[in-house]
Amino acid sequence: MQAYAKLNLGLRILGRRADGYHELRTVFQTVSLADDVTLAMGAGRGVRCETSARGAASWLAVPEDGTNLAVRAAELAREEFRLRGQVRLRLAKRIPVGAGLGGGSSDAAAVLRLLAARARPAPPADLVWRLAAELGSDVAPFLIGGTVLGLGRGDECYPLPPWPSQYAVIALPSRPVATAEAFRLWDERHPEAAAPPGLTEAARSVKINSFRGSLMRALPASRQARDRGRPERPIVRAGIENDFEEVVFSLSPDFAMIRRALRRAGAEAVALTGSGAAQYGLFSRRETAAAARARLAEQGPTWVVRFVARQRREPKLWGVVQW
Ligand code: C5P
């Protein structure tokens, strides 16, 4: 199974919550950079994991024990779905670690989906969602895929209509960023920031709709405009700002340099994904994205990806509303 990476199309940190996590508003978008997750059941017990990395670069190095989120997902799911035998997991890594691209979370979600499909009887949807939330704040959006609104810790997810097709150039600086470190830095800068109290159901649905509306208005090239043969509109105000930028950029001059390089290469909007370290630039056309990538290549690892929409054949298991 392809475990796609994600980009955050905007990320707002509203404040610290009583449980120590931070209240977020974000939109996740799956993109075509992907790890390959394969899984088989064999004789024995527990979970065995082998990883291989294309290019064997250090930013792909992941542990093969229980500190790997996919292994942890397999251990949890094996027990909770009452599967017999040994789970044999193979991860072919392409998504860099510590980049904000959600590689570990996506692998974990793929493992949950693969094992849920094997379990008899099929596990109830709420169990799968609970395991996803237990594994990490970023796992749940990958159970849905495509364009997903994330609230709460990021794990409270709502599928959005597909974002019009885009290309992105992803660029990595020389150092990874650990999410917990980025939140700690944000806390230092915002010592008084307590999260607002939880929204009522009615207020929540209004917020979701208005947030979605503002994002759709900020689209670089609306599908309708393209369908009518009009020239594509550049983004005036991106709407994809990320509140981690103010803290993460202070870690290294690399961040500002990559941002400038993406802008100079013609990106219609540039942003940090998650808590970094990767940044991306959006492009309407593949050729422009490829040319931009060529200009950035000597700065460090870069990829051209396209947005990947939610798969129509997602199982009903997840109980989410489909658009
Ligand atoms: O949930 P996850 O394990 O992915 O989060 C990693 C770390 O990031 C947490 O330990 C927590 O410190 C921080 N975090 C947070 N608020 C969030 C998500 C993560 O403070 N919404």
Side-chain angles (χ1 to χ4, degrees):
M1 179 181 283
Q2 299 269 90
Y4 295 114
K6 57 86 174 163
L7 297 175
N8 291 88
L9 304 176
L11 190 156
R12 295 209 49 208
I13 306 174
L14 298 194
R16 254 182 325 285
R17 314 192 317 187
D19 64 3
Y21 281 90
H22 292 74
E23 184 73 17
L24 305 181
R25 301 284 179 268
T26 189
V27 170
F28 298 95
Q29 172 65 53
T30 43
V31 295
S32 55
L33 175 65
D35 290 343
D36 233 331
V37 180
T38 42
L39 185 149
M41 300 300 295
R45 301 166 60 83
V47 176
R48 210 178 67 194
C49 175
E50 268 174 34
T51 64
S52 61
R54 298 273 161 94
S58 59
W59 33 263
L60 289 176
V62 290
E64 294 182 345
D65 62 11
T67 60
N68 178 319
L69 210 55
V71 174
R72 182 84 197 99
E75 286 169 353
L76 264 181
R78 183 182 169 277
E79 207 168 294
E80 298 275 348
F81 302 165
R82 298 175 201 283
L83 292 161
R84 282 166 195 245
Q86 186 181 54
V87 180
R88 294 174 185 170
L89 188 59
R90 186 166 291 180
L91 300 177
K93 292 296 296 178
R94 289 185 205 91
I95 308 173
V97 174
L101 294 168
S105 300
S106 187
D107 295 350
V111 167
L112 288 184
R113 290 167 56 186
L114 288 166
L115 288 177
R118 279 170 185 267
R120 294 288 176 275
D126 59 350
L127 173 59
V128 182
W129 286 108
R130 182 169 67 71
L131 297 189
E134 201 171 309
L135 286 161
S137 308
D138 266 4
V139 178
F142 290 106
L143 292 178
I144 304 176
T147 313
V148 179
L149 175 65
L151 309 179
R153 273 164 59 201
D155 62 332
E156 201 184 303
C157 292
Y158 301 86
L160 293 178
W163 191 285
S165 167
Q166 289 278 301
Y167 295 92
V169 173
I170 299 175
L172 273 191
S174 51
R175 94 196 274 292
V177 174
T179 305
E181 180 195 9
F183 275 114
R184 207 168 41 245
L185 289 171
W186 189 88
D187 285 345
E188 278 170 26
R189 285 225 187 164
H190 303 272
E192 307 297 333
L199 299 172
T200 62
E201 277 305 312
R204 165 160 295 171
S205 88
V206 170
K207 289 246 156 142
I208 291 170
N209 284 329
S210 67
F211 188 59
R212 195 184 117 209
S214 68
L215 273 162
M216 296 317 263
R217 278 193 296 278
L219 289 178
S222 74
R223 185 168 272 162
Q224 298 92 305
R226 202 155 37 195
D227 290 349
R228 281 186 243 121
R230 296 215 193 123
E232 289 168 359
R233 246 178 330 121
I235 293 182
V236 178
R237 187 185 163 281
I240 58 170
E241 292 82 5
N242 181 329
D243 284 343
F244 277 117
E245 285 164 11
E246 59 166 333
V247 288
V248 169
F249 273 47
S250 65
L251 294 174
S252 155
D254 272 14
F255 288 97
M257 204 171 70
I258 288 175
R259 158 150 302 190
R260 277 196 304 275
L262 280 166
R263 287 215 174 111
R264 273 203 301 266
E268 291 157 18
V270 180
L272 187 79
T273 177
S275 55
Q279 291 178 79
Y280 63 90
L282 294 181
F283 296 83
S284 317
R285 298 179 52 233
R286 181 197 287 274
E287 300 74 36
T288 338
R293 185 198 171 189
R295 290 179 59 176
L296 269 125
E298 63 189 47
Q299 226 138 9
T302 50
W303 296 263
V304 175
V305 298
R306 63 179 166 74
F307 284 15
V308 174
R310 189 170 312 123
Q311 309 292 304
R312 279 188 194 284
R313 55 184 168 70
E314 280 303 325
K316 291 200 181 69
L317 170 72
W318 321 123
V320 297
V321 181
Q322 295 289 351
W323 291 85

